Amino acid sequence: MEKSMNSTTLARTKSEQLVIETQAAATQTSKSPTMQNEDAPITSESMGTLSRKSSQRMVVGASPGRSSGGNKNNSHIRKARSAQVKLDVEELSNGAALSRASSASLGLSFSFTGFTVPPDEITDSKPFSDDDIPEDIEAGTCKPKFQTEPTLPIYLKFSDVTYKVITKGMTTSEERDILNGITGAVSPGEVLALMGPSGSGKTTLLNLLGGRLIQSTVGGSVTYNDQPYSKFLKSKIGFVTQDDVLFPHLTVKETLTYTARLRLSKALSRQQKEKRAIDVIYELGLERCQDTMIGGSFVRGVSGGERKRVCIGNEIIINPSLLFLDEPTSGLDSTTALRTVQTLQNIAETVITTIHQPSSRLFHKFDKLVLLGKGSSLYFGRASEAMAYFSSIGCSPLIAMNPAEFLLDLANGNINDISVPSELEDKVQMGNSETETRNEKPPPAVVHEYLVEAYESRVAENEKKKLMTPLPLDDEIKLKVFSSKREWGASWWQQYCILFCRGIKERRHDYFSWLRITQVLSTAIILGLLWWQSDSKSTRGRQDQAGLLFFIAVFWGFFPVFTAIFTFPQERAMLSKERAADMYRLSAYFLARTTSDLPLDLILPVLFLLVVYFMAGLRLSAGRFFLSMLTVFLCIIAAQGLGLAIGATLMDLKRATTLASVTVMTFMLAGGYFVKKVPVFISWIRYMSFNYHIYKLLLKVQYQDITPPVNGIKTDNGLWEVGALVAMIFGYRVLAYLSLRRMQLHRGA
């Protein structure tokens, strides 16, 4: 009893103090116009500040968390409200009472329910919005949106979209329909989910909407702000493929940093771009593994879920207007998948994603849904209305189940635990052997046909009419999408430098692997032991050294060819992905890719020659040693060019390896060591052989002033051989570049 009286007294004391404070605030507000001179008029901002402060004091004083006691606390609330009314009456003259009354009453309404609103979160000029609602606790806490630049709003519409592929057999070719008249639309701020069983055409439709398929086999119309696809959209679209295409030896931070430097606008500085990469790392929860290598089949790295988030980060880093994702939640648990989708909603303007089997909570995050079955549309509309639609056509779950599971069962034609429509029951009861089954359930083909007919008769026409509605956009914004001008994130030179550094960081692990170093050094030691301190003064000794020089020409012609063959076939997926996003020009990539190999390719030959040259007792002269090294460098660069040309032309490792083996063997046999006199009709082959020119150069470097000439080779200055090798260096690389340019790496390349 005594404790209750004390609490009541405390409550009254606080309420009386509240009345005194609010009256003082009202007096100060009413006096404020007389205290200001004519040159400092009252602004709505100053009145809003005063009203905000007074209302905050009222909320703090009126909160039930500050007092205790049973029904006697109601007297405290009534006094606080009477103080509020008294204050409002006194301040109606200065125009600040309305905003203060609304905010104070809002705070009191929360106090009645037992919640205390922090004063800093109560404003008198801004009502509550969706942004103020906290995220699901299980899905993680809300993080601030890091993109600040506005994005171009894009309305995506697709109507009667069809897609066919032609399968060629030994004698005939067959057309196969992948998509049959798919219609839909998505507006800025929405999430469109493409659902369906495996093989229903989800990924094909996603690639088509993202501009990744050749238009010659596509029917119907796909428009972006009522305009067709253009190269300008490449910088406004993010596309996350189902396969994680990443460089295994780069860390998470390096991967996102290089992407930011290549894709973000030129208006941003390098520091701003790198900061954006760090923001994405923290946004996606990758801070713990940011210094860990991505990893691959033979390299340990981050987990599968983290690798998927890195792929997503590569695309959301540009704040795309349209973000396409192919199975972004595969390999993720339901909570992480929900958090990932919520992050994408906060960052991207519009999200279009294929998803196989989402959780029930994730399903309710979708705004629109396209349900596919065997390439046909079974439903398009609001995701929240999908269950009601299928119930209207007689298909509803008989047991409680995840909406996504129910929809996928229907798309597969499986109607176990699903009510059978009367039309299908009639077909079963007719006794037709084609439709009757043992459990009196219609077969999947009949269910699919019924769902397609129901959609065409009830939904399709209405959705097509909605697509005719004019967009709420200016003509200027519409025409901007149609622009054919590409927006590069960096200049050509910047692209070259970034790709050059990235190439060295990625391939240094391969070049300096113990396996490769052991291979080169062991070969050098064996050669040095076999030709240990050979005599270069006698004719027989020079003949022996000529065999060593020929082997050097063959070894450093064979080794780079089979290393360079793998360059473009192995990076084809990465090149297609990055070029489709307009990350860089093909010329910048090609030059950076070929030149970044040179510093790494020239280190091992130096070690090789340091061992072989002095162990074999070749002529000890600084000039001859460095000329021999320069000759080997020319051989490596020419042979590398041949490997690049073969790999880029065929883009198939098995065929490229076969062709390279035949070519290198032919060049070796025509190199001038095994056959001195070649028939005239085939003698032209030796002039195409870099082995032949390298062998002659090495002989001229070692025995230029010695007679008689070794193997009948004239010891002139060797300018002809140097010119032939330089022509091969550039000729093979031009052929490789043209092969890449001609190849259909992606649409519009």
Side-chain angles (χ1 to χ4, degrees):
M1 182 67 180
E2 187 174 323
K3 183 178 180 181
S4 177
M5 292 294 293
N6 291 336
S7 61
T8 305
T9 304
L10 178 61
R12 288 180 178 177
T13 303
K14 288 189 173 184
S15 61
E16 290 170 0
Q17 181 181 357
L18 171 68
V19 174
I20 295 172
E21 289 179 358
T22 52
Q23 287 178 348
T27 305
Q28 183 179 359
T29 308
S30 61
K31 289 181 179 180
S32 59
T34 61
M35 294 173 64
Q36 295 173 344
N37 54 31
E38 296 179 354
D39 296 333
I42 300 174
T43 62
S44 59
E45 182 179 358
S46 63
M47 290 191 295
T49 304
L50 289 174
S51 62
R52 235 185 337 263
K53 290 181 178 178
S54 59
S55 62
Q56 289 172 3
R57 285 199 298 270
M58 291 183 63
V59 173
V60 173
S63 174
R66 300 297 183 94
S67 63
S68 61
N71 296 331
K72 294 182 179 181
N73 284 339
N74 293 335
S75 62
H76 162 65
I77 297 176
R78 285 196 298 270
K79 287 187 177 183
R81 298 184 99 181
S82 63
Q84 174 195 350
V85 174
K86 182 177 180 181
L87 177 61
D88 292 343
V89 171
E90 291 179 356
E91 294 187 353
L92 281 173
S93 58
N94 60 19
L98 181 59
S99 60
R100 180 165 59 261
S102 60
S103 60
S105 61
L106 182 60
L108 287 171
S109 66
F110 271 85
S111 298
F112 294 150
T113 59
F115 293 93
T116 303
V117 180
D120 295 338
E121 295 180 6
I122 301 179
T123 60
D124 56 339
S125 58
K126 180 182 176 183
F128 279 113
S129 64
D130 293 338
D131 296 334
D132 298 321
I133 301 175
E135 291 190 7
D136 194 328
I137 295 175
E138 294 183 27
T141 57
C142 183
K143 297 180 181 179
K145 186 176 179 180
F146 60 87
Q147 275 81 7
T148 56
E149 69 273 9
T151 58
L152 177 68
I154 295 180
Y155 290 80
L156 173 61
K157 297 180 180 180
F158 48 100
S159 178
D160 291 328
V161 171
T162 60
Y163 182 71
K164 298 179 180 180
V165 293
I166 300 175
T167 55
K168 295 182 179 179
M170 296 295 294
T171 56
T172 60
S173 60
E174 180 184 359
E175 279 192 356
R176 182 184 175 188
D177 294 331
I178 305 298
L179 296 175
N180 301 309
I182 310 300
T183 298
V186 60
S187 302
E190 292 181 338
V191 178
L192 172 64
L194 309 179
M195 287 183 58
S198 299
S200 60
K202 302 187 301 295
T203 299
T204 302
L205 179 60
L206 190 77
N207 289 332
L208 190 149
L209 298 179
R212 302 298 178 99
L213 292 181
I214 303 173
Q215 284 293 323
S216 60
T217 56
V218 176
S221 66
V222 180
T223 60
Y224 310 80
N225 289 349
D226 289 340
Q227 302 294 328
Y229 182 88
S230 65
K231 294 180 179 179
F232 171 81
L233 289 170
K234 290 184 179 183
S235 60
K236 301 298 180 183
I237 289 178
F239 200 104
V240 181
T241 58
Q242 188 170 356
D243 299 326
D244 301 331
V245 183
L246 297 167
F247 286 113
H249 291 103
L250 295 182
T251 65
V252 172
K253 185 177 180 180
E254 289 171 345
T255 300
L256 293 175
T257 300
Y258 285 128
T259 302
R261 292 176 61 188
L262 286 169
R263 298 191 68 179
L264 290 179
S265 172
K266 294 180 182 178
L268 299 178
S269 64
R270 177 174 176 175
Q271 291 73 20
Q272 290 174 319
K273 293 182 178 182
E274 292 176 351
K275 183 181 181 300
R276 174 69 64 81
I278 298 298
D279 291 341
V280 171
I281 288 174
Y282 280 89
E283 185 75 24
L284 295 175
L286 297 169
E287 60 272 11
R288 292 191 304 171
C289 61
Q290 59 179 319
D291 296 320
T292 306
M293 283 197 303
I294 298 295
S297 302
F298 305 103
V299 182
R300 292 188 62 183
V302 299
S303 66
E306 290 168 338
R307 189 179 294 114
K308 174 64 70 175
R309 279 181 278 166
V310 174
C311 293
I312 294 174
N314 274 334
E315 302 302 323
I316 67 175
I317 203 167
I318 62 169
N319 193 16
S321 298
L322 293 175
L323 179 61
F324 295 89
L325 304 104
D326 194 2
E327 299 284 355
T329 60
S330 58
L332 303 179
D333 59 89
S334 60
T335 302
T336 305
L338 178 62
R339 185 190 301 122
T340 302
V341 172
Q342 285 179 328
T343 301
L344 296 176
Q345 283 181 305
N346 294 333
I347 295 172
E349 183 73 16
T350 306
V351 178
I352 301 98
T353 177
T354 64
I355 195 158
H356 192 65
Q357 192 166 355
S359 64
S360 56
R361 290 192 303 164
L362 183 55
F363 179 82
H364 292 297
K365 292 290 182 182
F366 302 142
D367 297 299
K368 290 183 178 179
L369 172 68
V370 173
L371 182 63
L372 298 177
K374 298 181 181 179
S376 299
S377 185
L378 306 182
Y379 175 77
F380 169 70
R382 309 296 301 181
S384 58
E385 300 172 359
M387 299 295 290
Y389 163 74
F390 285 104
S391 297
S392 68
I393 63 174
C395 299
S396 57
L398 300 177
I399 61 174
M401 65 172 64
N402 184 347
E405 294 180 1
F406 167 73
L407 296 176
L408 287 176
D409 282 345
L410 282 179
N412 278 305
N414 177 19
I415 56 175
N416 293 326
D417 300 322
I418 298 175
S419 62
V420 180
S422 58
E423 292 87 343
L424 292 181
E425 288 181 347
D426 294 341
K427 289 185 178 181
V428 174
Q429 293 172 0
M430 287 173 61
N432 191 337
S433 59
E434 295 181 357
T435 60
E436 187 176 3
T437 59
R438 279 180 287 179
N439 59 354
E440 297 185 352
K441 293 283 187 180
V446 176
V447 175
H448 173 76
E449 182 181 355
Y450 170 76
L451 294 176
V452 172
E453 291 177 355
Y455 173 78
E456 292 292 338
S457 61
R458 295 172 180 247
V459 179
E461 292 301 324
N462 292 332
E463 293 299 333
K464 291 179 182 179
K465 291 179 181 178
K466 292 180 182 179
L467 296 182
M468 304 302 295
T469 305
L471 299 179
L473 294 176
D474 298 334
D475 292 337
E476 183 180 354
I477 297 179
K478 292 182 181 180
L479 294 176
K480 190 175 183 181
V481 174
F482 190 63
S483 173
S484 60
K485 184 179 180 181
R486 294 180 175 180
E487 291 187 358
W488 303 103
S491 63
W492 189 95
W493 176 250
Q494 289 174 334
Q495 292 175 1
Y496 170 78
C497 294
I498 294 170
L499 294 172
F500 182 87
C501 295
R502 189 181 74 172
I504 289 181
K505 280 191 175 182
E506 166 60 24
R507 289 182 294 280
R508 62 186 175 183
H509 302 278
D510 294 334
Y511 279 93
F512 297 120
S513 64
W514 284 109
L515 183 63
R516 183 171 296 217
I517 294 174
T518 303
Q519 179 185 12
V520 172
L521 289 182
S522 59
T523 303
I525 293 173
I526 292 173
L527 291 176
L529 292 175
L530 291 175
W531 274 271
W532 177 261
Q533 298 298 320
S534 57
D535 185 14
S536 61
K537 296 180 180 179
S538 64
T539 303
R540 185 175 182 84
R542 289 194 292 270
Q543 289 290 342
D544 290 342
Q545 287 185 351
L548 173 63
L549 297 177
F550 182 76
F551 180 84
I552 292 174
V554 171
F555 180 78
W556 289 110
F558 179 90
F559 198 67
V561 166
F562 286 91
T563 301
I565 275 178
F566 296 90
T567 298
F568 295 122
Q570 283 184 341
E571 293 190 7
R572 180 176 184 175
M574 179 64 73
L575 181 60
S576 300
K577 169 191 166 184
E578 294 181 338
R579 284 284 293 147
D582 263 2
M583 284 183 66
Y584 44 73
R585 298 170 178 85
L586 183 61
S587 57
Y589 164 80
F590 180 82
L591 195 60
R593 184 63 182 83
T594 54
T595 55
S596 63
D597 287 338
L598 296 181
L600 303 175
D601 279 335
L602 301 182
I603 293 177
L604 290 180
V606 172
L607 298 177
F608 178 88
L609 280 180
L610 285 174
V611 174
V612 172
Y613 198 91
F614 297 104
M615 287 183 67
L618 297 176
R619 301 186 67 179
L620 298 179
S621 170
R624 298 183 191 280
F625 174 76
F626 287 109
L627 284 176
S628 299
M629 188 173 294
L630 181 61
T631 303
V632 172
F633 287 171
L634 286 175
C635 176
I636 291 172
I637 300 173
Q640 190 183 64
L642 176 63
L644 293 173
I646 294 175
T649 303
L650 299 180
M651 276 294 177
D652 181 81
L653 288 179
K654 188 175 291 186
R655 291 188 297 167
T657 304
T658 303
L659 178 59
S661 300
V662 175
T663 304
V664 171
M665 183 183 63
T666 304
F667 285 177
M668 180 184 66
L669 294 176
Y673 182 79
F674 298 106
V675 181
K676 302 295 187 298
K677 187 175 182 181
V678 180
V680 178
F681 64 88
I682 203 174
S683 61
W684 55 270
I685 293 181
R686 64 167 50 187
Y687 298 107
M688 297 179 60
S689 169
F690 47 80
N691 295 124
Y692 174 72
H693 299 293
I694 292 297
Y695 176 55
K696 289 179 66 175
L697 272 179
L698 289 174
L699 288 177
K700 291 178 180 181
V701 168
Q702 289 294 319
Y703 314 118
Q704 185 175 7
D705 53 352
I706 294 179
T707 54
V710 179
N711 291 340
I713 295 177
K714 297 180 181 179
T715 54
D716 53 13
N717 54 18
L719 291 179
W720 165 254
E721 288 78 12
V722 172
L725 288 172
V726 171
M728 292 180 187
I729 290 172
F730 288 100
Y732 287 141
R733 281 168 170 77
V734 170
L735 177 61
Y737 177 76
L738 294 178
S739 299
L740 288 180
R741 177 63 69 181
R742 285 175 47 198
M743 190 178 59
Q744 290 290 337
L745 289 173
H746 65 282
R747 173 184 168 178

